[in-house]
Amino acid sequence: MKVKTRSIITAGALAATVGLALVGCSSDNGDGGDGANNSTTALTVWVDAERVDALKDVAAAYKDKTGIEVKLVSKDTAKIKDDFLQQVPTGKGPDITMGAHDWLGELVTNGVVSPIELADKEGDFLEVAYAASTYEGKQYMLPYAVENIALLRNADLVPEAVGTFDEMIAAGTAAGVTPFVVQQGPESDPYHLYPFQTSFGAPVFSSDENGYDVSDLQIGNAGGIEYANWLAAQGAAGTINTEVTGDIAKEQFTTGQAAFWLTGPWNVGAALDAGINVAVDPIVTPGAEAAQPFAGVKGFFLSEQSKNKVAANDFLVNYLATEDVQTALFESGNVLPALASAADAASNDPIVGGFRLVGMDAVPMPASPAMGAVWQFWGIAEAAILNGADPAATWEKLAADVQGALDK
């Protein structure tokens, strides 16, 4: 995906503006829930518990440099978005919150986030991270981490990487184990199957340099029908099975009963702890085009109701977008940094480097609220096809159902 055009201010201008903004700071900031935005002498930042320690040094450095205290408030990951959506419109909530890029459509629609200015740092981030942080042509998120799935291989069972889906099944079968596992379930799992779908040239929406065009649904194109036929064949052969849940896939791979596992970095630790000799390979392509997994990007949002947006933007861009901080965040969660220099260093680890290589083909998960109309039908249709429903008819109905929901 291409990046988008936006206004640029110079770092010098930003620094000067920050200096002016600090003059006359007078009131006190809250502790992150009640009246947190009623001051300019402190910034309140909501973060998850895993990353509080990683940000303590930079918070202290910011206070030493500017006199502005950065209050780090540990929040429950499951509640942070809803709390932000509820509190910001009332003038409460934090100045900055941690979050995920696919919240953007909802956050922007509700008017609770403000665009940020990256000044001269626009080119410092991985392309997919930068693209995922924009919405309708504006940069709303300071990215710090990128996640995508990749193909894990038990290198003791299959010593060399393979190039195609069929080669993968053959190699795993020759090893005398289940050749391949991927998380599914009663309603399938379109997220995990998306790279296979895109290899047939069937993205959800079209896209260009301005991002996704949600008015141009592509899921039902000719490539989509071809993918549906391929998916039906996998269901009949048992290579992709709706009875294989995430737990079953993990058990099979971590006990050496499966040769390949399509999953994310969040499961690598379990495989290594189990003594599996893990290699991270590119996702094999059943179709003629690149297998493009979804990328999930994590970052920080600036509250629309912050009373100190200049200082908050300064903290985001000039303190959190540094190699030291992005590396500290990486070490707290072992997720690839969004800043390219930090990602380069982290990629010296072959596991991290393997995920980064696959991520070069990744595309941001669409952040538009329109995705709700897609998710409600997508997995059900894939599960039906895997379990014997007519592939073309089922896929055409999927496309029609999604279009109908989008048109409402």
Side-chain angles (χ1 to χ4, degrees):
M1 173 166 293
K2 307 293 185 183
V3 298
K4 304 173 183 178
T5 303
R6 65 198 60 76
S7 61
I8 300 174
I9 61 176
T10 66
L14 178 61
T17 308
V18 170
L20 290 172
L22 300 183
V23 176
C25 294
S26 59
S27 56
D28 188 23
N29 210 1
D31 62 2
D34 298 324
N37 296 306
N38 294 328
S39 77
T40 54
T41 59
L43 295 174
T44 298
V45 182
W46 284 0
V47 297
D48 62 43
E50 284 185 339
R51 288 154 182 93
V52 170
D53 288 344
L55 295 176
K56 285 182 177 177
D57 286 348
V58 69
Y62 193 69
K63 183 177 182 181
D64 290 344
K65 184 70 174 180
T66 66
I68 297 177
E69 181 181 8
V70 177
K71 298 182 177 180
L72 302 174
V73 179
S74 177
K75 294 286 291 184
D76 183 341
T77 304
K79 297 179 179 178
I80 193 168
K81 184 180 73 171
D82 289 343
D83 286 353
F84 189 74
L85 283 165
Q86 291 169 6
Q87 293 191 24
V88 170
T90 68
K92 300 179 180 179
D95 299 280
I96 295 169
T97 186
M98 181 175 282
H101 91 273
D102 57 329
W103 300 358
L104 258 175
E106 188 175 5
L107 298 182
V108 173
T109 300
N110 283 278
V112 297
V113 288
S114 177
I116 63 174
E117 293 284 359
L118 287 178
D120 59 351
K121 292 193 173 183
E122 292 187 1
D124 293 352
F125 296 92
L126 300 179
E127 184 176 359
V128 70
Y130 191 92
S133 301
T134 62
Y135 190 79
E136 296 181 341
K138 296 180 180 178
Q139 183 87 16
Y140 282 97
M141 188 177 78
L142 190 289
Y144 77 86
V146 181
E147 278 187 324
N148 54 265
I149 58 175
L151 188 63
L152 305 191
R153 170 170 49 89
N154 184 328
D156 288 335
L157 294 174
V158 181
E160 301 295 333
V162 296
T164 68
F165 188 91
D166 290 343
E167 289 173 3
M168 175 183 71
I169 298 301
T173 302
V177 297
T178 299
F180 167 69
V181 288
V182 59
Q183 172 180 322
Q184 290 296 284
E187 296 187 357
S188 186
D189 189 325
Y191 171 85
H192 280 86
L193 297 183
Y194 195 59
F196 298 143
Q197 180 177 322
T198 54
S199 80
F200 288 96
V204 176
F205 302 112
S206 67
S207 60
D208 58 20
E209 68 276 7
N210 295 313
Y212 288 107
D213 180 359
V214 298
S215 68
D216 186 15
L217 186 68
Q218 287 293 309
I219 200 169
N221 68 18
I225 301 301
E226 189 179 359
Y227 164 69
N229 287 326
W230 175 84
L231 193 62
Q234 304 317 307
T239 52
I240 299 176
N241 190 327
T242 57
E243 293 185 359
V244 177
T245 63
D247 288 341
I248 291 173
K250 178 185 288 186
E251 180 184 9
Q252 291 197 335
F253 189 81
T254 58
T255 57
Q257 299 178 64
F260 295 90
W261 184 16
L262 184 60
T263 190
W266 50 85
N267 275 323
V268 171
L272 295 175
D273 290 345
I276 301 298
N277 183 10
V278 176
V280 180
D281 295 340
I283 300 172
V284 290
T285 55
E289 301 184 22
Q292 296 182 294
F294 279 134
V297 180
K298 297 179 180 178
F300 297 89
F301 299 105
L302 170 59
S303 169
E304 175 59 31
Q305 294 299 316
S306 171
K307 298 297 189 292
N308 206 359
K309 288 180 181 174
V310 174
N313 196 97
D314 177 50
F315 181 68
L316 287 170
V317 175
N318 295 314
Y319 287 79
L320 298 187
T322 62
E323 185 172 342
D324 285 347
V325 173
Q326 297 252 330
T327 298
L329 289 166
F330 162 70
E331 291 172 345
S332 68
N334 206 32
V335 181
L336 182 70
L339 193 72
S341 59
D344 289 344
S347 297
N348 289 327
D349 180 296
I351 298 293
V352 177
F355 277 98
R356 183 183 182 184
L357 181 64
V358 174
M360 293 177 73
D361 285 326
V363 292
M365 184 183 298
S368 170
M371 278 301 289
V374 179
W375 292 119
Q376 66 175 315
F377 300 110
W378 199 1
I380 293 172
E382 290 190 333
I385 292 169
L386 285 167
N387 289 315
D390 181 272
T394 303
W395 203 257
E396 288 169 352
K397 183 177 186 304
L398 161 66
D401 287 343
V402 172
Q403 189 63 63
L406 292 173
D407 291 342
K408 287 182 180 177

